[in-house]
Amino acid sequence: MTATDFACQSLGQRIRHRVQRAMGPWGVFLQGFVEHPVMVGSIIPSSRFTIRKMLAPVKWDECRLFVEYGPGVGTFCRPVLERLRRDGQLIVIDTNPLYIDYLNATIPDSRFAAVLGSAADVEAIVKAHGHDHADYVLSGLPFSTLPDGVGAQIAAATHRVLRPGGAFLVYQFSAKARLFMARHFTCIDAGFEWLNVLPCKLFWGWKA
């Protein structure tokens, strides 16, 4: 890399950081979408109505470990931490280092852990953090655009890591995620939230 290339790269990084600071989490979220559109479910974070409805069935007094796939800039993280018991833990998993760095820098809660990795490796990640299982797993990953085989791997690993009575909470723009869930979860509740951009389908798969 030449000195000119380095200077141009440094200038680009400084401009990007200034835009991120000016736009806050929206800037970080948008950058993540632009860089990895296939792995980000939406260009706009979920609405408070989606968050409220998605988390409504959770029995928080029984939840010691809550896991989230694809946390983005933490749209669900803060509401989960507000509800989570004091001795509980929230582990979020994302393949985008931009989001992981942002979350680690902005969420100082000792119950929170942001992990750079794949949701397909959730069992190893949960074990590495001292847990045998998860009580609830939340996902906004775009199952319809994930690489071949990845959606099936994630659904299977999620079913294995959940305790009996636990649930896989999924919000999507399409119903494809339900097809992956149905291979493992015999009881799936469904809902819909209009007050979201775009309106989204909600699924709760319960482990027998």
Side-chain angles (χ1 to χ4, degrees), residues 51-201:
I51 295 170
R52 187 183 306 130
K53 186 176 291 186
M54 192 81 260
L55 298 180
V58 175
K59 296 180 179 178
W60 294 103
D61 59 330
E62 300 176 3
C63 182
R64 291 186 177 276
L65 177 60
F66 194 103
V67 176
E68 182 183 2
Y69 304 153
V73 294
T75 306
F76 272 91
C77 294
R78 291 165 183 84
V80 168
L81 288 169
E82 289 171 1
R83 295 163 170 79
L84 190 65
R85 52 193 287 169
R86 294 181 65 181
D87 61 345
Q89 185 174 24
L90 168 60
I91 299 175
V92 301
I93 305 170
D94 206 300
T95 58
N96 192 332
L98 175 70
Y99 291 151
I100 295 300
D101 290 345
Y102 176 80
L103 292 172
N104 280 324
T106 57
I107 302 181
D109 197 308
S110 62
R111 300 169 299 166
F112 178 75
V115 178
L116 179 64
S118 170
D121 298 323
V122 62
E123 294 167 283
I125 293 171
V126 164
K127 185 175 182 179
H129 283 78
H131 300 276
D132 295 325
H133 60 259
D135 297 291
Y136 296 91
V137 176
L138 170 69
S139 175
L141 296 177
F143 277 80
S144 59
T145 61
L146 291 176
D148 289 344
V150 174
Q153 292 175 14
I154 291 174
T158 301
H159 186 266
R160 290 193 299 267
V161 81
L162 282 168
R163 63 165 172 82
F168 188 20
L169 288 57
V170 178
Y171 57 101
Q172 298 277 278
F173 298 136
S174 77
K176 189 168 184 179
R178 194 184 192 287
L179 300 177
F180 292 107
M181 297 172 69
R183 300 173 188 173
H184 308 281
F185 297 89
T186 56
C187 179
I188 301 177
D189 296 328
F192 194 81
E193 181 51 63
W194 287 100
L195 298 175
N196 195 77
V197 182
L198 299 166
C200 63
K201 302 177 187 297

